[in-house]
Amino acid sequence: MSKVFIMAAALSSLVSMNSNAFELTSQDIQEGKKIPQAFEFNGFGCSGSNKSPQLQWTDVPKGTKSFAITAYDPDAPSGSGWWHWSAFNIPASVTSLAQGADLTKLGATELKSDYGSVGFGGVCPPRGDNMHRYQFTVWALPVEKLDLSADVSAALAGFTVRSMAIGKAMLVAPYNR
């Protein structure tokens, strides 16, 4: 038996013993299932409650000192997708958010969504458009505070978060009108 095969087998069993994966779930939205209309934006021709969904995450990566959350629609007909939510500096002690949570009460920074308002902006694809995929992501970060101001773009915050994340947990749910 080759040494490479033995090492690969040993690594495989080590990975299977530690199979806990950083995971994002929600009581309000489910992976692959259409988002309820209540989480639709209120404006731009949409008439939802514009509340963020309840979220919870488990099996946080070791070394996490804070979290960032993003909600992004890569299918928006803008040429660059659509940022529905971008928040960072969420304390590492927080592993769930209630529906409609005010992240500023946690000391977090919420940025403007692509609607132009601070905080969560609900789903609202153009009427008759194909199904859009909404990517809710929690990012585990190795720093307590990102050195970003509250007026940076969601794209710049996303770049910064991705460049340093030690883990991410994503939930993707579709929506169309």
Side-chain angles (χ1 to χ4, degrees):
M1 193 179 293
S2 78
K3 289 180 183 179
V4 173
F5 178 77
I6 293 169
M7 288 178 69
L11 182 59
S12 175
S13 19
L14 181 62
V15 169
S16 67
M17 286 189 309
N18 188 16
S19 62
N20 293 345
F22 189 25
E23 182 179 25
L24 176 61
T25 58
S26 174
Q27 297 169 359
D28 296 328
I29 58 175
Q30 282 73 47
E31 180 76 29
K33 294 190 178 175
K34 189 172 179 178
I35 296 172
Q37 196 264 338
F39 300 100
E40 193 177 80
F41 189 67
N42 191 348
F44 282 68
C46 291
S47 58
S49 299
N50 198 43
K51 286 187 180 179
S52 60
Q54 179 276 340
L55 299 173
Q56 59 201 33
W57 47 99
T58 56
D59 297 318
V60 173
K62 186 176 181 177
T64 299
K65 295 185 178 174
S66 71
F67 297 104
I69 293 179
T70 57
Y72 179 72
D73 173 6
D75 302 313
S78 66
S80 60
W82 194 270
W83 292 97
H84 289 266
W85 201 11
S86 186
F88 52 87
N89 297 339
I90 300 165
S93 59
V94 174
T95 57
S96 67
L97 298 173
Q99 184 182 108
D102 179 353
L103 300 186
T104 61
K105 291 182 179 178
L106 301 172
T109 301
E110 289 189 280
L111 302 179
K112 283 185 179 180
S113 70
D114 280 343
Y115 293 114
S117 55
V118 173
F120 180 77
V123 300
C124 184
R127 190 172 297 284
D129 216 8
N130 290 329
M131 192 70 76
H132 286 221
R133 298 164 294 155
Y134 293 87
Q135 301 169 339
F136 291 83
T137 309
V138 175
W139 304 86
L141 304 176
V143 296
E144 287 183 23
K145 299 278 182 189
L146 287 182
D147 188 23
L148 294 174
S149 68
D151 63 352
V152 300
S153 69
L156 177 58
F159 173 82
T160 303
V161 165
R162 280 176 173 77
S163 73
M164 66 172 35
I166 57 176
K168 75 175 186 177
M170 183 184 289
L171 189 161
V172 181
Y175 191 76
N176 69 344
R177 299 188 304 139

